[in-house]
Amino acid sequence: MNEHWWRSAVIYQIYVRSFADSDGDGVGDLSGIRSRLPHVKELGVDGIWLTPFYPSPGADHGYDVSDYVDVDPQFGTLDDFDALVADAHRLGLRVIVDIVPNHTSNEHQWFRNAVSDPQHPDRARYIFRSGRDGEPPNVWTSAFGGPAWTLDDASGEYYLHLFTPEQPDLDWHNGRVREDFEEILRFWLDRGVDGFRIDVGQALYKAPDLHDVHQPEPRPAFADWHTGINQAEVHGLYRSWRRLADSYPDERMYVGEVVLENQVELAKYVRPDELQLTFNFTFLYEDWNAKALRARIDRTLEAFGAVGATASWVLENHDVTRLPTRYGGGEEGRRRARAATLLLLGLPGAAFLYQGQELGLEEVELPDELRQDPVFFRTNGARKGRDGCRVPIPWSGGPPGFGFTAGSPWLPIPADWTALSAEAQEGSPQSSLALHRAALELRRRIDALRTGSFAWRASPSGTLLFERASGNETIVCVVNLNAEHLQLPDGELLLASEPAPGNLLPPSSAAWTRV
Ligand code: NOJ
């Protein structure tokens, strides 16, 4: 069978402002990315996902788009974009771009028109409502803290924003919004992109009655309490988007950022005629615990399998604390993160890697005065925000620029990252970079690992052991979370995240064995 490329793809996320800076202004850009594509190629992934590079005032670092069909001058030009796509394609890398359909920037022309004249047709693209007794229309809260409504002084009405007030939500019940986004998708498809990552994919349609939904306290990091979003209409929209993508050659695809804890609900987004992939954030909210991880894997495989979809796996992205830090930090956190790499890439389905994950970077503890994330400001510092995982990549050398920039990076790169730079890890077979490269190389070469069947094997408590099989080849993936030294199965040891003398795998490590 000819396997769809995305079913087992590994996609590398590039957070554009932090990847590589070509002009010395301290902020990454498209030309910078071009110069570092060889690193991505050598890593061995199938494609890249670029976070938003569109014109934006930057209230949420690009997730507040003021023009969907152009490039922000700080990141380059449309010509730079075309050149980047051409380079990537020449190297055999697919290119996924981010689409932000839930909200625009408040500086988008549509919103400017909407507030400058309440009779303007663009007003209907957004969700303006009268207040209730001098209060907002309902009790919804913004995901970044504070109310989800802001008063438009001129008209006395409130507008809805699930994120910052600079990110007004679009009204997807409005036909023009739908038509315009189809044009936007076509614009990028015509330019040769291989697909889209859909921002806040579950939230586009709001319950028409905008009923009160009280945010649980404390606010859960991951739970499906908001009954005013995840409305059934969104599936019809994605079916139409799928038809659009399918009208282009070469299997263009969508990956939904669908933030739902319930895997059965999540899998609805990847039914055969909807999105091809959705992020599966289940690992982001789990500790280093074998039983709990196994339960999450089972839930995912069952729910996605039931709709005939491929699963996907995520350990890091630009919104969450870096993995080694989540796993306790220091040497132990780094060991666990290395082991988790072999879990991530050993499981069936697609996988996502976040830039710097291959270097084993930890979360950076930044002084408050350097923080930029609106989450920090809108919660008065109660939530520190996401800057710590967005620190630029240390490519080579040392402070301040680390080969990321000839100037001064927009967030400081820790001085002790000298030993973690891509250049420093290059020659070391024990490095995180070497482990990622080796794992990705095996995954590309061995069908069983990439597309083979999956089955658990019995294993002691505190460990995970499963096999991937194709034809007459079987690979066993072993993760020893916290058991005593674990005997590896007989066979050829292909890769281990730590030395396993005498075929005994130490705690906080993982291995792949051909049996
Ligand atoms: C999800 C994105 O990943 C995040 O960075 C952004 O702040 C929100 N969506 C709002 O667009």
Side-chain angles (χ1 to χ4, degrees), residues 64-268:
D64 49 321
V65 179
S66 53
D67 180 354
Y68 287 89
V69 290
D70 205 347
V71 173
D72 193 292
Q74 76 173 328
F75 300 131
T77 63
L78 276 172
D79 285 343
D80 294 331
F81 177 80
D82 292 341
L84 170 56
V85 172
D87 282 1
H89 284 169
R90 242 190 318 273
L91 290 170
L93 295 167
R94 313 261 180 173
V95 179
I96 309 294
V97 297
D98 218 312
I99 189 87
V100 188
N102 180 68
H103 45 265
T104 68
S105 159
N106 61 339
E107 291 187 22
H108 194 289
Q109 194 57 47
W110 297 336
F111 194 73
R112 287 171 186 257
N113 294 340
V115 289
S116 68
D117 171 10
Q119 303 311 319
H120 195 287
D122 283 347
R123 181 97 167 176
R125 291 174 184 273
Y126 296 91
I127 304 177
F128 282 87
R129 293 288 186 278
S130 309
R132 278 191 311 205
D133 311 323
E135 298 287 324
N138 70 20
V139 299
W140 291 11
T141 49
S142 144
F144 291 168
W149 297 92
T150 289
L151 184 65
D152 166 35
D153 284 319
S155 67
E157 287 190 324
Y158 292 80
Y159 66 89
L160 179 72
H161 51 86
L162 294 184
F163 297 91
T164 70
E166 293 80 20
Q167 294 165 295
D169 279 43
L170 288 163
D171 184 351
W172 275 88
H173 292 108
N174 179 293
R176 293 185 59 196
V177 169
R178 209 168 152 144
E179 283 161 24
D180 283 330
F181 268 87
E182 236 183 79
E183 284 312 303
I184 293 163
L185 294 176
R186 277 184 205 284
F187 177 89
W188 295 105
L189 287 165
D190 289 341
R191 287 201 110 83
V193 305
D194 298 283
F196 300 93
R197 175 263 188 197
I198 306 169
D199 192 58
V200 237
Q202 82 287 10
L204 273 47
Y205 287 85
K206 279 71 182 178
D209 65 356
L210 293 173
H211 58 268
D212 276 332
V213 185
H214 291 270
Q215 174 185 298
E217 278 305 328
R219 183 176 177 278
F222 192 39
D224 309 337
W225 54 272
H226 203 316
T227 56
I229 57 174
N230 186 31
Q231 301 294 299
E233 291 111 302
V234 79
H235 297 289
L237 175 71
Y238 292 153
R239 280 189 202 103
S240 74
W241 283 15
R242 176 64 179 269
R243 286 192 296 274
L244 174 64
D246 286 350
S247 71
Y248 281 78
D250 306 325
E251 288 202 279
R252 316 294 172 99
M253 71 92 164
Y254 300 97
V255 49
E257 190 218 18
V258 179
V259 189
L260 291 174
E261 213 242 321
N262 181 321
Q263 305 268 296
V264 173
E265 206 45 45
L266 179 63
K268 287 187 182 164

